[in-house]
Amino acid sequence: MKKTLLGTTALVTAGLIAGPALASDPLTVTVGGSVTAGFYVIDSDNLAAGPFAGTSFNDTAVKLVARNIDINAEGTLDNGMVAGVLATLSLGDDWNTNFNNNDATFRELFAYLEGGFGRFEIGGTDGAAFKMHYTSPWFVPGNGVDSPNILNGLASVPLATTFAPAARHSTFSLMAADANKVTYFTPRFAGFQLGLSFTPETTYNGPNPNGIGLNPNNSSIEEVVEIALNYAGSFGGVDVGVDGFYTTGDAPAGFNADPEELGFGLNLGFGGFTLGGAWYQSEDLGRLGVSFPVPGAFGVEEEVWTAGLSYATGPWTVGIAYLQDEISAPGFAPGTSKVKTWQAGGGYNLGSGVDVGLDLQMTDGDATGIFGPGFEHESKSAGLVLSVAF
């Protein structure tokens, strides 16, 4: 998952209402993208609950992820405003998924307008809470412990019942994800910037379904509002980045739920070191991937936190990070689920956007009640990663 932190908006003389002036030249079109591939040796135990408990999985695997093509058209208008369109294509993995997934689909597609007033975005893209968030550092090329592209363990423990919500592996706001929305970012003032997003509804109305919600059957979370504030500055040689966000929406009719997300993040940079972490909490929010919707009556609560430290010198980057996800359903079918993941490793930049690295992961999970009574899982892996950005 690519993370974007909005920087200082250029303070140019421009108004919200423009006349008929057109750009003196056509918008400039650039094409780029990224591909991350890894070869892993994996050792996992106890992959499932029930009759499959105790089974082992020892194998090698090739992971091909972050297969994105970014097409950006941008130009400066005669009145000083910057206008553009960004389209991100996610490439299919050919025969490896259902033998026919060889198409490219738009993961994001949105237009934007930027000037002294700030920045407007409209279309299918992540909202302000996502784009302004700080978290634990990524030090393995193309991969990290928070919102990983590659995770060689169970993202959540096997469910004892189809009514149990699946866990997440991210401190980012995903309630509205890439659904069509409108977002406004203020200019950065004294290091501070405010972001606001509004998503009318989160069904398949954008370039890609967001994969999170309360009910997949032709209804979804509606009127999602995101409020985010971050700060970027330096104090005595220490670079500081901090943010906080709140997201809320309306549940579909008939659900006793009030879905909410709350999160904070912090990065400190000094002498090549980056120390970062984040905390996230949600209520009445379940991730799709189960056979039935997750009613708010379960009172589902989820908490995720992460921390990590990286060091960069010249072309080298090394680090270690940890993430823990805990989800509880205190309603009429109570249970808890906990997934813990360690990552260590690093990378070396060969130049021209080409990085190689070593990725070491260790994941374990356990569950009680509705999530799988007495279930425990452990997975360890080591991989060589090649990431190419162009």
Side-chain angles (χ1 to χ4, degrees), residues 149-285:
N149 281 319
I150 302 172
L151 179 63
N152 296 313
L154 295 180
S156 60
V157 299
L159 306 178
T161 169
T162 53
F163 288 101
R168 57 189 283 143
H169 211 272
S170 173
T171 65
F172 286 78
S173 172
L174 300 175
M175 188 185 300
D178 292 330
N180 286 338
K181 60 176 59 66
V182 59
T183 298
Y184 170 65
F185 300 97
T186 68
R188 192 172 291 277
F189 179 75
F192 289 93
Q193 186 175 44
L194 177 68
L196 304 169
S197 293
F198 177 71
T199 305
E201 47 97 14
T202 62
T203 54
Y204 188 89
N205 65 331
N208 193 49
N210 60 330
I212 191 169
L214 293 174
N215 187 357
N217 298 320
N218 299 319
S219 61
S220 69
I221 304 173
E222 299 176 339
E223 298 183 357
V224 177
V225 176
E226 303 176 39
I227 303 173
L229 177 69
N230 75 6
Y231 171 84
S234 297
F235 296 92
V238 178
D239 297 326
V240 179
V242 61
D243 80 279
F245 67 83
Y246 175 74
T247 304
T248 185
D250 293 336
F255 285 85
N256 179 24
D258 184 17
E260 294 179 324
E261 293 178 306
L262 178 68
F264 302 95
L266 173 66
N267 272 189
L268 300 175
F270 49 94
F273 288 94
T274 299
L275 176 65
W279 174 86
Y280 166 94
Q281 186 179 61
S282 67
E283 296 182 359
D284 293 342
L285 188 66

Side-chain angles (χ1 to χ4, degrees), residues 10 23 32 35 54 57 96-97 110 117 122 138 150 170 227 230 232 246 270 280-281 296 300 319:
V35 173
F57 176 81
N96 291 323
T97 303
F110 66 97
F117 53 84
I122 183 167
W138 280 27
I150 302 172
S170 173
I227 303 173
N230 75 6
Y246 175 74
F270 49 94
Y280 166 94
Q281 186 179 61
V300 175

Side-chain angles (χ1 to χ4, degrees), residues 66-158:
R67 306 175 299 270
N68 296 326
I69 301 294
D70 298 317
I71 304 171
N72 185 212
E74 182 179 278
T76 301
L77 308 181
D78 286 345
N79 57 17
M81 289 189 292
V82 175
V85 171
L86 178 62
T88 298
L89 285 166
S90 290
L91 307 180
D93 56 1
D94 203 0
W95 60 86
N96 291 323
T97 303
N98 298 326
F99 302 99
N100 59 6
N101 184 22
N102 55 4
D103 296 328
T105 58
F106 282 105
R107 183 172 61 85
E108 290 194 348
L109 178 59
F110 66 97
Y112 57 89
L113 190 64
E114 187 171 0
F117 53 84
R119 177 182 171 103
F120 277 103
E121 296 180 352
I122 183 167
T125 184
D126 294 303
F130 184 102
K131 291 186 175 182
M132 300 177 70
H133 185 52
Y134 291 93
T135 185
S136 53
W138 280 27
F139 41 83
V140 173
N143 200 34
V145 75
D146 190 347
S147 307
N149 281 319
I150 302 172
L151 179 63
N152 296 313
L154 295 180
S156 60
V157 299

Side-chain angles (χ1 to χ4, degrees), residues 45-48 54 157 364-367 372-378:
D45 296 315
N46 203 12
L47 290 177
V157 299
D364 66 81
D366 57 74
F375 172 81
E376 294 183 358
H377 160 75
E378 185 175 292

Side-chain angles (χ1 to χ4, degrees), residues 284-308:
D284 293 342
L285 188 66
R287 182 172 66 87
L288 297 184
V290 294
S291 300
F292 294 94
V294 181
F298 279 105
V300 175
E301 298 178 357
E302 190 162 12
E303 183 177 27
V304 186
W305 67 271
T306 181

Side-chain angles (χ1 to χ4, degrees), residues 346-364:
Y348 181 84
N349 179 252
L350 298 173
S352 301
V354 180
D355 294 88
V356 295
L358 173 65
D359 187 8
L360 305 175
Q361 299 180 22
M362 183 173 66
T363 300
D364 66 81

